[in-house]
Amino acid sequence: MQNIESEYKKLLESYRDCCRTKDLILKAFDSAYEGIVITDPDGFITMLNRTYADFLGVDVDEAIGKHCTEVIENTRMHIVAKTKTPELAQVHRIKGGNMIAHRIPIIQDGTVIAVVGKVMFQNVRELHTLSARVIQLQKELDYYQGELLKNLGAKYRFEDIIGISRNILEVKEIAKRVALSDTTILISGESGTGKEMFAHAIHNYSHRKFGPFVRVNCAAIPDTLMESILFGYEEGAFTGALKGGRKGKFEIAHKGTIFLDEIGELSPVMQAKLLRVLQEREIERIGAMHPMKVDVRIIAASNRNLESMVKNGEFRQDLFYRLHVVSLHIPPLRERVEDIPVLARHLLQMLSQETGMYAAGMEQEVLDVFIRYHWPGNVRELKNVLERALHVKREDMIRLSHLPVRLFEESTGERPCFLLANAIEETERETIRQVLKMTNGDRARAIRLLGISKSSFYQKVKKYKIEIRPMD
């Protein structure tokens, strides 16, 4: 008897659970935002929710049991029951307007047992409104992605590396091929040759181009900060650690590229830690209990001869060979002389846009000097010379008189006696500076000592870009 009572209680509780579940489903069905109707295989309505009934202007209880064609204008529910083919996102003309509807057959053992109809949008205008909102959100996403790439993205592409010489074209071709893989790259070359530009271009040419590009100048970071900057730290790792900890450069570069510039300046301790990252592809924050995996492509660069540093015991041999998987050597400007004219013209055009100071071009004599000069500072030095010329010129063309004296002297071995204007301007500039220094920035006194008018004084100060230190 007890067993029968126990089974009865279980069945009763199970029945109540079923009732509660059914009630919950019916309430959800009835309060759904979308209009929903269900018919049997012959097209007779078995269920209709309140949303759809209100839209149709019918009573739910009266509609149930009727054929769908009696209740819903232009319906195809009964047709879908026969074809067994779903009709998704179809335009349904009803009550003088268009709506978007789904009609889905429910099939069991190959037989249609019901058809579910769902009104997604009661008016096509709703769809257009939602579509416009999605487009706006996509635009906002594109904007923020663009802003993110400005800060964490690479700026240069291979098209920005200007040159027609065989030397530079061969390096670009190799770099393009290597960019398509995740191989570690070591870029060597003198200062100012464009090593960083190649790193940017490789990232932008790779499958990681939508990931971050993180640059680290190893020579500019003190040894005491290097580990926390590269690998990050946990909260409480040391006095002054930020709440929540901080990501390191390797974490930030996840799924992207990290560019380690001047890698020859790393201390022996950091060389060992970097070697572990290359071997294990994982990092460990300061104060962390466990390491974390990172998916990062590493590009390193140095203007020092790392091979000689290895021989002298200044750089780890195992790290050198880990970095030296593919080596790119960027030739100095003096080894690609034919690139100088085209590069100079490109840089002049770019600088004109950046500074707002227009220059129509350069005299041929200027290009001749450029070709003969040995350019110890390479492309960076050429850019600086052209920028200076833009500031000192008084006409549309860059002429010999606008070049630094040392450039002419070192390229020709002659003293440029014709650069009288430069000498006069330099003398004026230096004299005004010395007088202002002597008068402790007293403008009125400086004007009296120089023996020039007030307007002339301020014209020259502006022309030579002289900063006047305020009086103590």
Side-chain angles (χ1 to χ4, degrees), residues 262-273:
E262 303 299 346
I263 198 166
E265 305 304 320
L266 283 179
S267 68
V269 173
M270 287 310 302
Q271 288 178 34
K273 291 182 181 291

Side-chain angles (χ1 to χ4, degrees), residues 249-310:
K249 298 291 187 180
F250 273 92
E251 272 188 82
I252 296 170
H254 185 62
K255 296 293 183 182
T257 303
I258 189 166
F259 174 53
L260 302 175
D261 197 10
E262 303 299 346
I263 198 166
E265 305 304 320
L266 283 179
S267 68
V269 173
M270 287 310 302
Q271 288 178 34
K273 291 182 181 291
L274 179 59
L275 177 63
R276 184 174 182 274
V277 176
L278 285 162
Q279 289 174 332
E280 307 297 333
R281 293 293 166 178
E282 62 183 26
I283 61 164
E284 191 168 324
R285 285 184 176 187
I286 297 175
M289 299 297 292
H290 305 286
M292 65 176 71
K293 290 287 183 181
V294 286
D295 177 11
V296 177
R297 201 242 184 99
I298 297 174
I299 302 177
S302 178
N303 62 358
R304 300 177 66 182
N305 189 325
L306 294 184
E307 203 163 359
S308 296
M309 292 178 68
V310 169

Side-chain angles (χ1 to χ4, degrees), residues 13 159 235 382 430 453:
E13 187 60 34
E159 293 80 7
E235 181 178 340
L382 175 59
E430 191 57 32
S453 67

Side-chain angles (χ1 to χ4, degrees), residues 42 183 244 253 391:
D42 297 318
T183 302
H391 282 89

